[in-house]
Amino acid sequence: MDVILDALSQVFTLKVLGIMGVAALYGLMVGAIPGLTATLAVALMVPITFFMDPVPAIAAIVTMAAMAIFAGDLPAVLLRMPGTPASAAYTDQAYRFTQAGRGEYILGISACTSAIGGSIGVLALMFGAPLLARFALNFSSFEYFWLATLGLTAAIMVGGTQVSRSAVSLLLGLLVASVGIDPVSGETRFTFGSDALLGGFGFIPVIIGLFAVAEILRYCTRSVSERELPQVPQQPLYWRALCDALRHKLGILRGSVTGTLIGALPGAGADIAAYIAFAMGRRHRGANATDEGAVAQIAPATAANNAAVGGSFIPATVFGIPGDSLTAIVIGVLLMKGLNPGPTIFTDNASMINAVFLAFLLANLMLIPFGFLSVRLFKQVLRIPQGLLMPSILLFAMVGAYAVENSLFAVVTILVFGVLGFLLEENDFPLAPMILGIVLGPLLEETFVTSMMRSNGSFLAFFERPVSLTLALITAAVWLAPPLLRLWREHRTPRPALTD
């Protein structure tokens, strides 16, 4: 009890709360710009944290991360341009609310579910970190292979009812992911002698191109009468959004648990968590046809986004193993402050690490007021004439791509993939499967080759470990359940009697 009281006294000071407030505004600003991710926001802030004490420094980082992940939904919902990769999973579904003049409503739900999901992730970090970390460290290449396979299965599901078009989009994503140096053999593939392609296509420029540049091209091809911005809602809908979010508490809980577990796996992260949670939401009846079904699909995915951030801190704090690039930066900051992440940090620096956890929980609770404020401010973008807005977005997209990759080739990448994304959507090919193929392609290839080398070419090794077998059965069930249910319904449906 003394440790908790000491942690509370370290967090609830004017200095720490003021730093968290500034960090929240900064995270919202960076996350709302397409291409500038939460990791970039934190990396730019690291030099400033050098002059802070450990608790305010880590509190600022976790606050920036939580806010930036949510802020990616702002341009995704209002402009159909995801600010962060995790928001790309449900961009199309959420943008339909903006077209109907209800963008503020769905962003209100996103703020509420992000706060709930992030809080659940932090609570899991506080009370179940050692257990979940041991579970995550038991994952070998076999389990990661089936996790990637399950994610690719989700890619087909998020693409909609046209499975063939979703499969084509997914294969395009896997093809893009294979460009560059082979992760196992080191051989170059599909580079055509270009040194710029040795590292493959940058994920952030590809995302910016497929969504932002493609949307600008779509604007250019519209007639003058069609160039109308979505309606700006006149009345705040936050209370209704909060109530409607709580109606989907089971879906939010499912998404939060999914995000926490996937976030705890080194190398996974919020992107994969959002896609898998979004795909699981498609089981809801009317997910594509009604507003209620769309909310039931979007809410778990937004909860999974922020829950994955808390989950990624589990292996980082318990074993000093970064779950993603963000936690790698956090570990660096802790080491810079003379703190060694690992099991001993819970005994040698118990009050400090608990203060960090409490600051993390407070940062997620701050999502609701700060999120609602950012929605009220960002929706004013819809009042800007599109003749000024679209060129400005293109400029930000180019600057963001160059800032991430530090190369002019990134600017070429966003333009090429912008044209590709425009052509795909004009022919009714969904973009979500392609994006997830790009994310999971390297993981799938590397884990498959590594597993085959470990098992001396035996496929049975993929089913020998309990967790691996469980993931394989879940993946098979996702594929086999729909046709089997269809056959069962056809068998149960009475056939009409033959008449003379």
Side-chain angles (χ1 to χ4, degrees):
M1 190 63 184
D2 293 337
V3 173
I4 299 297
L5 293 176
D6 189 19
L8 287 171
S9 65
Q10 294 184 56
V11 173
F12 288 93
T13 64
L14 289 178
K15 178 181 178 181
V16 174
L17 294 178
I19 290 175
M20 291 179 67
V22 174
L25 296 174
Y26 170 73
L28 288 170
M29 180 186 68
V30 175
I33 300 175
L36 302 185
T37 63
T39 303
L40 179 61
V42 172
L44 293 175
M45 188 58 66
V46 167
I48 298 177
T49 61
F50 181 79
F51 301 98
M52 300 181 186
D53 294 329
V55 172
I58 303 300
I61 288 177
V62 296
T63 303
M64 282 185 288
M67 296 294 171
I69 290 291
F70 161 74
D73 291 350
L74 296 173
V77 173
L78 298 180
L79 299 173
R80 198 178 171 272
M81 301 174 185
T84 58
S87 304
Y90 44 85
T91 294
D92 287 335
Q93 194 80 297
Y95 183 66
R96 296 173 189 170
F97 284 85
T98 299
Q99 291 176 310
R102 305 181 67 201
E104 190 173 0
Y105 166 74
I106 199 65
L107 282 172
I109 287 183
S110 174
C112 297
T113 54
S114 295
I116 295 171
S119 300
I120 291 176
V122 175
L123 291 175
L125 172 64
M126 295 174 66
F127 298 106
L131 179 62
L132 289 175
R134 283 195 295 270
F135 170 76
L137 291 179
N138 284 331
F139 266 56
S140 66
S141 59
F142 300 102
E143 285 79 12
Y144 275 109
F145 169 78
W146 285 115
L147 181 65
T149 305
L150 182 60
L152 294 178
T153 301
I156 301 295
M157 296 174 64
V158 300
T161 57
Q162 297 180 326
V163 176
S164 60
R165 294 179 183 271
S166 298
V168 171
S169 179
L170 174 62
L171 291 175
L172 280 175
L174 293 175
L175 176 62
V176 172
S178 65
V179 174
I181 299 177
D182 185 286
V184 178
S185 67
E187 296 290 332
T188 57
R189 304 174 302 188
F190 307 115
T191 60
F192 304 102
S194 173
D195 293 339
L197 288 173
L198 289 176
F201 290 103
F203 181 59
I204 298 301
V206 169
I207 287 287
I208 295 174
L210 289 175
F211 283 97
V213 178
E215 187 66 21
I216 294 171
L217 291 175
R218 191 173 299 107
Y219 162 79
C220 294
T221 59
R222 295 176 187 150
S223 63
V224 177
S225 60
E226 294 175 330
R227 294 179 179 180
E228 296 180 0
L229 281 171
Q231 305 173 26
V232 180
Q234 299 300 320
Q235 296 180 351
L237 301 171
Y238 301 135
W239 178 248
R240 180 181 173 187
L242 178 60
C243 295
D244 286 357
L246 295 178
R247 288 172 55 190
H248 300 280
K249 50 184 175 295
L250 293 180
I252 295 172
L253 178 62
R254 182 183 65 242
S256 301
V257 173
T258 301
T260 302
L261 293 177
I262 293 178
L265 303 177
D271 309 348
I272 300 176
Y275 273 99
I276 291 180
F278 184 74
M280 293 170 65
R282 276 198 178 273
R283 296 179 302 174
H284 190 279
R285 181 177 299 176
N288 296 317
T290 65
D291 286 351
E292 181 72 13
V295 172
Q297 193 176 2
I298 295 171
T302 54
N305 279 358
N306 283 69
V309 178
S312 65
F313 276 72
I314 292 172
T317 54
V318 177
F319 293 103
I321 299 175
D324 55 12
S325 55
L326 176 63
T327 51
I329 297 175
V330 172
I331 289 176
V333 173
L334 288 174
L335 293 174
M336 184 175 65
K337 299 299 181 183
L339 303 171
N340 294 319
T344 57
I345 199 172
F346 292 93
T347 55
D348 297 343
N349 303 97
S351 61
M352 190 279 300
I353 196 64
N354 279 283
V356 170
F357 291 162
L358 288 174
F360 204 170
L361 181 62
L362 178 61
N364 282 283
L365 296 178
M366 290 168 59
L367 263 174
I368 295 180
F370 276 86
F372 287 170
L373 174 63
S374 65
V375 173
R376 295 297 298 272
L377 295 177
F378 194 86
K379 75 174 185 179
Q380 303 305 319
V381 171
L382 297 181
R383 302 184 187 274
I384 302 175
Q386 283 198 341
L388 297 176
L389 180 62
M390 292 301 173
S392 301
I393 291 175
L394 181 60
L395 177 62
F396 274 114
M398 290 182 174
V399 172
Y402 183 83
V404 172
E405 298 289 325
N406 196 27
S407 169
L408 288 175
F409 182 73
V411 179
V412 177
T413 299
I414 69 170
L415 298 177
V416 171
F417 279 90
V419 174
L420 177 60
F422 171 76
L423 294 176
L424 286 174
E425 291 208 305
E426 287 297 302
N427 292 279
D428 297 326
F429 285 90
L431 295 180
M434 181 179 178
I435 295 168
L436 196 55
I438 296 172
V439 172
L440 292 179
L443 177 64
L444 180 74
E445 179 185 15
E446 184 177 355
T447 54
F448 177 75
V449 175
T450 303
S451 299
M452 292 298 289
M453 293 172 63
R454 291 178 59 185
S455 63
N456 294 322
S458 174
F459 286 100
L460 294 178
F462 286 86
F463 306 94
E464 291 176 350
R465 297 164 61 92
V467 178
S468 178
L469 177 61
T470 301
L471 290 173
L473 292 175
I474 293 174
T475 304
V478 172
W479 281 106
L480 296 177
L484 291 178
L485 286 174
R486 187 162 53 249
L487 290 175
W488 181 74
R489 288 169 183 166
E490 291 176 355
H491 178 73
R492 290 289 303 272
T493 302
R495 297 182 180 179
L498 297 177
T499 57
D500 295 335

